[in-house]
Amino acid sequence: MAEQGTGDTNEPHETIDALSAENRKFPPSEAFKANSLVTDTFLYDQAAEDDEAFWARQASGLVDWAKPWDTVLEWDLPDAKWFVGGQLNVAYNCLDRHVLGGNGDKIAIHWEGEPGDTRTITYQQLLDEVSQFANVLKDLGVQRGDRVNIYLPMVPEAAVAMLACARIGAAHSVVFGGFSAQSLSDRINDAEAKVLITADGGYRRGAVFPLKPAADEACADTPTIEHVVVVKRGGNDVEMVDGRDHWYHELIEGASTECPAEPMDSEQLLFLLYTSGTTGKPKGIMHTSGGYLTHVTYTHKYVFDLHADTDVFWCTADVGWITGHSYIVYGPLSNGATQVMYEGVPNHPGNDRMWEIIEKYGVTIFYTAPTAIRTFMKWGATEPAKHDLSSLRVLGTVGEPINPEAWMWYHEHIGGERCPIVDTWWQTETGGIMISPLPGATTTKPGSATFPLPGVSAELIDDEGHRVDVGGGYLTLTRPWPGMLRGIWGDPERFRETYWSRFEGRYFAGDGAKLDDEGYLWLLGRVDDVMNISGHRISTTEVESALVSHPAVAEAAVVGATDATTGQAIIAYVILRGGEDVDAEVLRNHVAEEIGAIAKPKQIYITPDLPKTRSGKIMRRLLRDVAEGRNIGDTTTLADASIVDELQARAAVVADD
Ligand code: PRX
C-alpha cells in the first residue's frame, strides 16, 4: 500500500492564495428581522461572559430533564462530560413531551417516497411506533448499553429505529445504505452489535435497489448479530434466515404501544457513527445524550430561526450521515417541528423534484449541500421557476465550502433574493453546527460561514501554534462544547492522537480556513489526507487499501482533485503487479464493492511508477497538480522525474476525450 506522506499534504497557504476576494454583503432584511428569534448580539454577549452558564441555560430551557445535573462540565482534556449527574431520555424529549403538551396531532414527518407514495406521521403516531419498536427490541434481547446497527433507505422506520434505541438506552450505529457489505460488516464487528435493522430494498432513480442481500453477505461475517429485522419497502424478493430474520411489520403488529421512557444518564452513549479519518480504518465516533441533545436542539432552533408552530423544515441529507442524525432526527423532533423526509434522488421523475416537494408541502426552511446546488445550477434556473417557492424563508448549506457563484444562484433562484443563507460548518465529531450565521442577526458574505456560534470558541493558528487574526491557518476549537465527540469507540489513544495532539490544548478539526479583515471565516477544505466528495468524507488511504486488496494491484496512490460539481473527485494512480493486466473499470467496481459506490474513483490511471521523493514518499501534491492539470514546477526532489511527464501526458489524453 502507498506510504502515508506527511510533509507533502495540502498546505493551507497554497489554497488560500487561490481564493479570490469576495466583497458582496447581505444583511438580513428588515422584513426578516421583524419576526426573527435573534436580531442582535445578546446570545453572543451572554456566551462570551460565561460559556458554561450559557450552555446550562440552553440545556434547561430547551431540554426536559428527569433529574437535574450536579455539574455543568467536567473537563479533563480530551475528556469532556456535560451535565454530569443529570438524567433524561432523548426519545422522551423528541416525542412524549410534545404529545403531553397537546401536540400529538401535529405532523412530525411528511414522508415522500420516490415513486410518489406518501406517509403523514403525527407526533402521537411516531411515539406509538417508537414505543412498539422499543418493545420489539427488548423482546429480541436488546438491553441498555447494547449496540444496534441500522442499514436502511430513507424511510420513516430509520427514525423510528433510532428513537427506539434511544428510548431503551441502546446505542445505534447507522450505516449509510450506499455502503457495501464489507463496510457494513466492518462496522458491525467494530461495534459488536447484537441486532441489525435493514430493509428488503428502497427506491432510487426509479428502481428498487436491494439492501437485504448486502446485509446477508455482511452477516455471514458478524458473529455478534443475533437478529435481523427487515422493513418491507422495495417489495423485492429476499431470503429470510429462519430464527435470525424477522419482518418489521410482523413484529410491530403484536407489540404494545406502552414503553416507558426510562431516564438515562446524561453521558449515556446515544450513538456511534463511523467516519473516515486519515488512516484506513473508519472511526466509531461516540456521541452521548444530554450534551448532544442540547447542542442540536439549540442549533436547530437558532441557526434556522425555527418557529415550530408554522415552519416546515426540510433537510435533504440521508439519515446515514451526521447531518441526518442531528437535523432530521434529533434536532427537529426535539424542537417539535414539522419536517419533510424524502426517499429518493433529486432528478426523479424530473429535474424539478425538489422544487415540486417544496411547493407541495410549503417548505419554509431548506437545508442542502453545495454539491447539490451546483447540480441544480447545471440543470438550469427554469427547473425551480416551474414552482412556487414563495413559502421559503431560510436556506442552509452544509458539508463543504460553498463557492460564491453557487451561493448567489441559491440566493437568487431558490431564495428569491429574500431568504438569508446559513452556511453551516461542522463535522461528525462536533455533533452539531459550530460556525454559521444567525439568519436574523448576521450580515452574510457569499462563501463565508461567518462566525462561531454563541457558545463556540474557534481560533485559527499557524504551523507554530500562534494565533492568526487575519489570513490563513488551521481551524481549531479552544473550548469543549456539549455536542462534542466523547471518543473513538474502543480506541481512546487514537482519539487523543487524532484530535488533541497536533496543537497543545486544542481540538484540531482537520480544516484550513482564512480570516478576513472583518473577522469572517472562510473554510478552505481539509488539510489532511481526507477527501470531500459531494460533502462526504472519504480518506485517501481507505481507497488505496481497497485498490491494493485487488490481487492485480501492487501499489496505489489516491488524491482528491477539484471537481466542478462534486467539490472533489477521486483520482487514483495504480501500479499493477508484474505480469498482471486489468481494466481500470474492474478496479473501480472493486472499490465500490469494498467500500461503496460513493468511493468509486472517477478516474484510474494505470502507471508503471509513481512520483516519489528520494526517501520514498509518494508526492501526493504533485499527483494532485497533475490531476488538476496544473503546471508542475520544480521536480528535482523526485527520485525519477520522468514519470511526471508521462502522467501528465496521460491526463491530457483523458481531458481531450
Ligand atoms: O471539511 C469540512 C467539511 O466537512 C467536514 C466534515 O465532514 P463530516 O464529518 O462528514 O460532516 C459533514 C456534515 C457536517 C469538515 O471537516 N465541511 C462541513 N461543513 C462545511 C465544510 N466545509 C466548508 N464549509 C462548510 N459549511
Side-chain angles (χ1 to χ4, degrees):
M1 180 169 92
E3 188 183 329
Q4 278 306 292
T6 43
D8 52 9
T9 51
N10 214 357
E11 277 155 27
H13 314 286
E14 217 175 87
T15 358
I16 288 154
D17 293 339
L19 193 86
S20 59
E22 170 60 61
N23 295 318
R24 286 169 288 199
K25 286 188 185 175
F26 295 86
S29 68
E30 289 309 317
F32 187 87
K33 281 166 80 168
N35 194 27
S36 171
L37 298 178
V38 184
T39 55
D40 59 19
T41 61
F42 80 93
L43 285 180
Y44 296 95
D45 299 340
Q46 283 183 351
E49 209 166 280
D50 182 345
D51 62 351
E52 281 181 39
F54 173 81
W55 283 118
R57 249 192 318 277
Q58 303 310 324
S60 57
L62 299 173
V63 171
D64 279 12
W65 296 80
K67 176 174 171 288
W69 59 85
D70 307 312
T71 315
V72 176
L73 170 66
E74 278 178 16
W75 178 221
D76 180 13
L77 188 143
D79 299 312
K81 291 188 177 143
W82 282 88
F83 312 119
V84 185
Q87 293 193 331
L88 77 165
N89 185 290
V90 169
Y92 175 93
N93 274 278
C94 291
L95 303 166
D96 307 55
R97 64 166 167 165
H98 309 312
V99 172
L100 292 169
N103 283 321
D105 291 337
K106 183 174 179 182
I107 294 166
I109 299 174
H110 288 291
W111 180 77
E112 170 106 356
E114 196 191 66
D117 52 335
T118 61
R119 282 170 67 184
T120 308
I121 304 168
T122 65
Y123 273 95
Q124 178 70 61
Q125 288 165 337
L126 195 57
L127 171 60
D128 287 348
E129 191 160 331
V130 166
S131 302
Q132 286 179 304
F133 195 58
N135 283 325
V136 165
L137 289 177
K138 284 201 229 170
D139 287 346
L140 294 178
V142 178
Q143 293 173 354
R144 196 185 282 209
D146 286 343
R147 273 83 54 212
V148 170
N149 254 87
I150 298 176
Y151 185 60
L152 282 172
M154 280 288 284
V155 289
E157 287 82 356
V160 171
M162 291 161 77
L163 290 163
C165 289
R167 196 166 190 85
I168 62 173
H172 54 72
S173 167
V174 183
V175 176
F176 171 55
F179 276 123
S180 65
Q182 183 63 50
S183 296
L184 176 61
S185 70
D186 288 349
R187 286 156 174 76
I188 290 174
N189 286 332
D190 190 73
E192 298 179 292
K194 257 189 181 170
V195 169
L196 171 66
I197 302 154
T198 186
D200 50 358
Y203 283 88
R204 213 172 158 72
R205 285 183 228 293
V208 171
F209 71 94
L211 268 183
K212 180 68 166 48
D216 287 339
E217 201 185 320
C219 288
D221 236 2
T222 55
T224 56
I225 291 289
E226 293 167 13
H227 296 282
V228 177
V229 180
V230 187
V231 174
K232 202 178 190 69
R233 167 61 186 155
N236 47 314
D237 280 342
V238 294
E239 275 175 33
M240 298 291 277
V241 176
D242 233 14
R244 185 195 75 181
D245 296 356
H246 319 269
W247 285 107
Y248 176 94
H249 59 273
E250 288 176 4
L251 294 177
I252 282 275
E253 213 173 61
S256 158
T257 54
E258 289 300 313
C259 178
E262 291 167 41
M264 308 287 161
D265 284 339
S266 178
E267 284 297 336
Q268 168 85 30
L269 185 67
L270 181 63
F271 65 84
L272 299 178
L273 186 58
Y274 285 79
T275 189
S276 293
T278 51
T279 66
K281 190 169 172 268
K283 308 173 276 200
I285 301 299
M286 297 163 67
H287 283 291
T288 59
S289 303
Y292 172 80
L293 191 69
T294 300
H295 190 144
V296 298
T297 310
Y298 157 76
T299 47
H300 181 253
K301 177 171 175 175
Y302 290 110
V303 170
F304 298 106
D305 188 48
L306 182 77
H307 292 64
D309 290 343
T310 48
D311 274 321
V312 179
F313 179 79
W314 183 17
C315 165
T316 67
D318 189 284
V319 284
W321 309 111
I322 190 68
T323 308
H325 283 56
S326 300
Y327 300 106
I328 294 176
V329 180
Y330 293 112
L333 295 176
S334 173
N335 277 321
T338 294
Q339 70 177 316
V340 170
M341 182 177 182
Y342 171 56
E343 177 184 37
V345 296
N347 54 349
H348 183 84
N351 287 351
D352 61 341
R353 185 66 184 272
M354 308 307 260
W355 323 126
E356 183 191 300
I357 292 174
I358 289 177
E359 180 174 13
K360 176 172 175 183
Y361 296 103
V363 171
T364 59
I365 308 171
F366 182 60
Y367 190 31
T368 195
T371 185
I373 298 168
R374 290 192 293 267
T375 304
F376 301 145
M377 279 172 79
K378 272 203 295 205
W379 293 341
T382 48
E383 297 296 338
K386 292 178 190 162
H387 297 278
D388 177 4
L389 305 182
S390 61
S391 57
L392 288 171
R393 296 196 309 115
V394 178
L395 302 177
T397 71
V398 59
E400 50 179 321
I402 180 162
N403 44 313
E405 304 83 82
W407 196 103
M408 289 304 299
W409 189 90
Y410 199 30
H411 170 70
E412 209 174 303
H413 297 289
I414 308 305
E417 298 186 348
R418 77 184 173 275
C419 303
I421 296 179
V422 289
D423 172 359
T424 63
W425 177 89
W426 57 295
Q427 305 178 297
T428 304
E429 291 86 343
T430 68
I433 298 168
M434 301 292 279
I435 300 176
S436 167
L438 291 180
T442 312
T443 294
T444 54
K445 297 186 186 182
S448 167
T450 72
F451 310 107
L453 288 177
V456 172
S457 308
E459 268 178 15
L460 291 194
I461 55 174
D462 64 18
D463 281 302
E464 280 79 51
H466 299 131
R467 205 173 92 177
V468 173
D469 292 321
V470 179
Y474 301 101
L475 178 62
T476 66
L477 302 168
T478 58
R479 291 275 295 146
W481 63 99
M484 96 182 214
L485 77 165
R486 299 301 196 262
I488 295 174
W489 181 250
D491 203 343
E493 200 33 56
R494 190 175 174 199
F495 173 52
R496 181 183 282 276
E497 173 61 30
T498 308
Y499 302 105
W500 305 92
S501 67
R502 175 109 180 243
F503 300 108
E504 172 90 37
R506 294 163 184 268
Y507 171 91
F508 173 49
D511 284 291
K514 183 186 110 157
L515 271 169
D516 71 16
D517 51 13
E518 292 179 317
Y520 281 72
L521 269 163
W522 302 76
L523 274 304
L524 299 172
R526 308 284 307 191
V527 296
D528 52 18
D529 288 328
V530 176
M531 300 174 285
N532 190 329
I533 316 297
S534 298
H536 299 140
R537 268 163 76 165
I538 299 168
S539 91
T540 53
T541 326
E542 231 177 310
V543 181
E544 284 165 2
S545 309
L547 285 165
V548 175
S549 74
H550 189 281
V553 175
E555 199 174 0
V558 166
V559 295
T562 306
D563 183 275
T565 306
T566 56
Q568 284 189 309
I570 304 177
I571 311 292
Y573 298 85
V574 167
I575 302 178
L576 297 182
R577 286 179 194 277
E580 294 283 353
D581 188 19
V582 64
D583 198 61
E585 196 51 29
V586 171
L587 296 180
R588 291 180 71 234
N589 291 333
H590 178 70
V591 174
E593 265 165 43
E594 289 289 303
I595 307 175
I598 47 164
K600 242 186 185 183
K602 183 175 176 193
Q603 193 72 48
I604 295 185
Y605 295 98
I606 296 185
T607 165
D609 206 351
L610 288 165
K612 289 187 183 159
T613 61
R614 283 161 214 261
S615 63
K617 267 189 200 157
I618 292 173
M619 301 272 291
R620 276 163 213 288
R621 184 179 48 73
L622 228 150
L623 289 173
R624 217 171 9 243
D625 286 345
V626 172
E628 293 175 353
R630 259 192 305 279
N631 265 340
I632 312 296
D634 184 12
T635 51
T636 47
T637 53
L638 285 182
D640 174 11
S642 66
I643 186 62
V644 174
D645 299 336
E646 191 166 334
L647 290 175
Q648 271 183 313
R650 285 172 200 225
V653 171
V654 172
D656 286 346
D657 280 352

